[in-house]
Amino acid sequence: MHADLSRITFRPERHYSAVLAQQGRVQLDADANEQTAIQLHQARTIAADLIGRHGGPAGATGFAIGLDSRGHELDDLTIGGGRYYVDGILCDASRPAPGDAVEDDDGDGHDGGHDGGHDGEDAGRDGGGRDRTGGRAGDRAGGTDATPAHWTYWDQPDGHRDPERPGDRLPAAFPYLAYLKVWERSVTAAEDPALREVALGPDVPDTAARVKVVWQVLALPGSELGVEDGETGKDTLRTAFRRWADERSAPGSRMAARSRRPERADEDPCLLRPDARYRGPENQLYRVEVHEGGTADEATFKWSRENGSVVLPVDGLDGTWVELATLGGDGRLDLNTGDRVELADTAYTSRGEPLPLLRVEEVDLPGRRVRLSGEPGGGVGRRPELRPCLRRWDHREEPRRGGRGARGRLRGGAVPVEEGRWLPLEDGVEVYFEPGGAYRPGDHWLVPARTATGAVEWPVNAARKPLLRAPAGIQVHYAPLAWVMGEHGVSDLRLSFGPLAGPVPSATEEELAAEAQAEAEARALAAQGEPEGPADTTGTQA
């Protein structure tokens, strides 16, 4: 999560059930966040144990898939509303209805509409409201002015599919499998201004961040499932998809971190502890995040001493000049010449396809502008409704004074991954990538550094050697939805569950048990050919 955090303390293997606040103690964000994480872990574990890996409630099962290829230049999928659980995570496919606006008093017929709307509601349209697939978005609901009752593949809220990109289009060959991809990301006031309490004044940009569940309906060609021709039973398809999903969910890389007293540390006289291994002047939460994925020869990473939380909203983009809403709250959270930045927006974040990081070449303080080393690509930053922003990263190509800064030549603005050796970040913080890793964009590790101990917080073994750890995120979850066979229809692969509640019995359990026992005894007597009724206890003979 790209948020201004002190550290993440939730460890499910510790089996803590609650956080207890003590009187007279300092309140920390880590404690409150751990309580939230404990409750969320418990709720999702219960849901997954009862439901299974995926499923929806009977009568309200969401994400029903339908093929729509009539009257459009490109095939489309309809996504039915309702709820669905994936590994205990609730996904809601219901499309919110638009609000009713009130006309102005002057009667000019103008109404402002709803402010901003849902980011994804405009994701599949151009500036004139025309759906990119060639028709009006409202046509699917039967009227040109009506809002569709359901999402589609092209306008799903966090899909951000682009028909002009061949890789985003649905497979041309049938059959293929439509599936659900689910993960979570953080949202701050830079992306959702409604989170900011304006009563606090301009000097307080925000307070708390949010965590959002992101879902996407995507398509997988049938040839990639590895099933034999004709083996298209629902259970066979679900099993093959689970195997495919498990391969992509499993972490492919591990990293370790440590702090080591750098060379020439004695030249810095301002530290409180001369023996400190971590030489930074402040407590930090370092974030090491994979930028470009692939093997070690292909992958790159970026790092931030602020957990990637230094984000500046973008007001405008003119070539290489970027106009910002603010240049930062102070000298520690602003931009300077030489900084590496990432221009991102909602679509860029949801797609997870990184672009080269750019360098700040010039800062125009009066105009709140910065000039970048290149013009941002991929169309990022040119749609205000997607909340574009600049995210600062702290690695540099040249080492800083005193040994600070990651050494080595950058590739695409990021640091090349080197496995099997300790790589310096800054101020004595070093990281180590295990040989043979497979890296995915967005995978990240968090490394708290503390001035009180002069070290970083990282798990070690009995010999005090740093342990290799899988990424802290991103955790991606998958569920199969439908087997799309073209003109032969769509085979539903979803699962559903019924309510646990039943009617209240008219008698107690003891009474019901006694009645059942009496009926069983009567049936046993009837089977033996004996008359039903009370036994003769007089002892006389006929």
Side-chain angles (χ1 to χ4, degrees):
M1 303 299 174
H2 298 101
D4 188 10
L5 309 175
S6 61
R7 58 177 182 156
I8 301 293
T9 59
F10 174 62
R11 301 290 185 273
E13 67 274 9
R14 302 289 178 87
H15 306 296
Y16 295 142
S17 60
V19 175
L20 300 180
Q22 301 186 81
Q23 61 179 349
R25 303 317 200 264
V26 176
Q27 297 296 308
L28 297 177
D29 65 289
D31 294 334
N33 292 337
E34 182 172 351
Q35 178 61 59
T36 300
I38 289 174
Q39 293 175 309
L40 197 60
H41 176 72
Q42 291 176 341
R44 289 177 174 174
T45 300
I46 292 174
D49 288 344
L50 295 178
I51 298 170
R53 297 189 65 166
H54 60 90
T61 305
F63 297 93
I65 299 299
L67 178 63
D68 182 7
S69 58
R70 299 167 297 176
H72 303 293
E73 297 176 7
L74 298 173
D75 285 350
D76 200 356
L77 296 176
T78 59
I79 305 171
R83 301 183 301 279
Y84 209 69
Y85 292 83
V86 181
D87 291 335
I89 301 175
L90 171 62
C91 303
D92 193 342
S94 300
R95 185 162 192 162
D100 297 324
V102 179
E103 300 290 346
D104 291 339
D105 292 338
D106 56 13
D108 61 0
H110 170 75
D111 68 80
H114 50 282
D115 184 15
H118 197 295
D119 285 342
E121 205 160 330
D122 295 322
R125 309 176 192 167
D126 58 23
R130 179 168 294 277
D131 186 84
R132 295 187 201 158
T133 58
R136 295 288 299 184
D139 291 346
R140 298 190 182 93
T144 57
D145 296 328
T147 298
H150 50 70
W151 298 109
T152 71
Y153 174 80
W154 291 111
D155 71 358
Q156 54 184 305
D158 291 302
H160 300 286
R161 303 290 96 183
D162 187 352
E164 298 180 359
R165 303 179 64 169
D168 285 359
R169 299 174 187 173
L170 293 169
F174 296 105
Y176 59 82
L177 191 143
Y179 67 94
L180 192 61
K181 178 182 179 181
V182 183
W183 77 101
E184 291 179 308
R185 66 179 181 87
S186 58
V187 176
T188 65
E191 184 176 343
D192 185 358
L195 299 181
R196 179 178 177 271
E197 175 53 77
V198 297
L200 297 176
D203 295 333
V204 181
D206 60 4
T207 52
R210 303 294 188 271
V211 177
K212 177 182 179 179
V213 173
V214 178
W215 59 260
Q216 292 179 337
V217 173
L218 303 175
L220 176 68
S223 58
E224 297 187 20
L225 273 180
V227 295
E228 300 292 337
D229 293 339
E231 295 293 331
T232 57
K234 292 187 176 182
D235 290 339
T236 301
L237 292 173
R238 292 190 187 106
T239 301
F241 180 80
R242 176 181 296 184
R243 183 168 55 249
W244 177 89
D246 288 344
E247 291 177 357
R248 280 147 186 83
S249 300
S253 58
R254 295 194 298 176
M255 192 197 82
R258 71 179 184 185
S259 53
R260 193 169 190 178
R261 193 168 186 267
E263 299 178 0
R264 304 173 64 181
D266 295 334
E267 297 179 7
D268 191 345
C270 298
L271 294 173
L272 296 179
R273 292 187 53 177
D275 61 340
R277 299 187 303 276
Y278 166 60
R279 313 296 288 189
E282 296 182 353
N283 298 322
Q284 305 288 1
L285 181 60
Y286 284 89
R287 181 187 187 93
V288 179
E289 181 174 321
V290 176
H291 188 65
E292 288 283 352
T295 63
D297 295 334
E298 304 165 331
T300 60
F301 72 96
K302 53 202 175 187
W303 61 264
S304 164
R305 66 179 71 94
E306 306 286 350
N307 189 30
S309 64
V310 180
V311 175
L312 306 175
V314 172
D315 281 349
L317 183 60
D318 183 10
T320 60
W321 281 98
V322 180
E323 181 181 351
L324 302 172
T326 176
L327 283 176
D330 54 38
R332 186 173 59 89
L333 303 177
D334 60 5
L335 291 178
N336 295 287
T337 301
D339 286 341
R340 289 286 170 175
V341 294
E342 184 174 21
L343 184 60
D345 58 21
T346 302
Y348 175 86
T349 303
S350 296
R351 293 182 63 88
E353 299 172 354
L355 294 171
L357 304 180
L358 302 175
R359 183 178 183 272
V360 176
E361 300 288 351
E362 184 179 352
V363 178
D364 177 14
L365 291 177
R368 296 200 315 272
R369 302 188 307 160
V370 296
R371 183 171 62 86
L372 303 180
S373 57
E375 186 172 350
V380 180
R382 292 170 175 82
R383 297 180 60 189
E385 71 274 12
L386 295 182
R387 305 296 180 186
C389 61
L390 278 184
R391 188 181 307 278
R392 191 192 78 188
W393 297 94
D394 295 319
H395 58 273
R396 297 224 175 184
E397 192 160 11
E398 301 84 12
R400 297 182 180 180
R401 293 182 58 188
R404 298 180 182 179
R407 294 169 171 80
R409 188 171 184 81
L410 303 184
R411 188 169 67 236
V415 185
V417 168
E418 297 182 52
E419 295 180 333
R421 60 181 294 261
W422 287 98
L423 306 176
L425 302 186
E426 67 171 4
D427 295 328
V429 180
E430 298 180 343
V431 296
Y432 177 96
F433 293 100
E434 182 184 28
Y439 301 87
R440 301 174 299 192
D443 281 354
H444 62 272
W445 297 262
L446 300 179
V447 186
R450 296 295 179 257
T451 58
T453 60
V456 299
E457 296 182 356
W458 191 265
V460 296
N461 62 8
R464 309 297 297 173
K465 301 296 183 181
L467 298 176
L468 290 164
R469 283 289 182 261
I474 302 172
Q475 297 179 4
V476 183
H477 310 265
Y478 299 93
L481 296 176
W483 184 244
V484 182
M485 299 174 288
E487 60 182 13
H488 300 291
V490 175
S491 178
D492 198 343
L493 299 179
R494 299 173 300 157
L495 301 175
S496 66
F497 58 90
L500 296 176
V504 177
S506 58
T508 64
E509 293 184 3
E510 291 78 7
E511 293 171 339
L512 291 174
E515 182 178 345
Q517 182 178 1
E519 292 177 354
E521 292 176 352
R523 287 193 297 271
L525 291 174
Q528 296 175 3
E530 298 182 7
E532 297 184 9
D536 185 2
T537 58
T538 60
T540 61
Q541 295 182 354

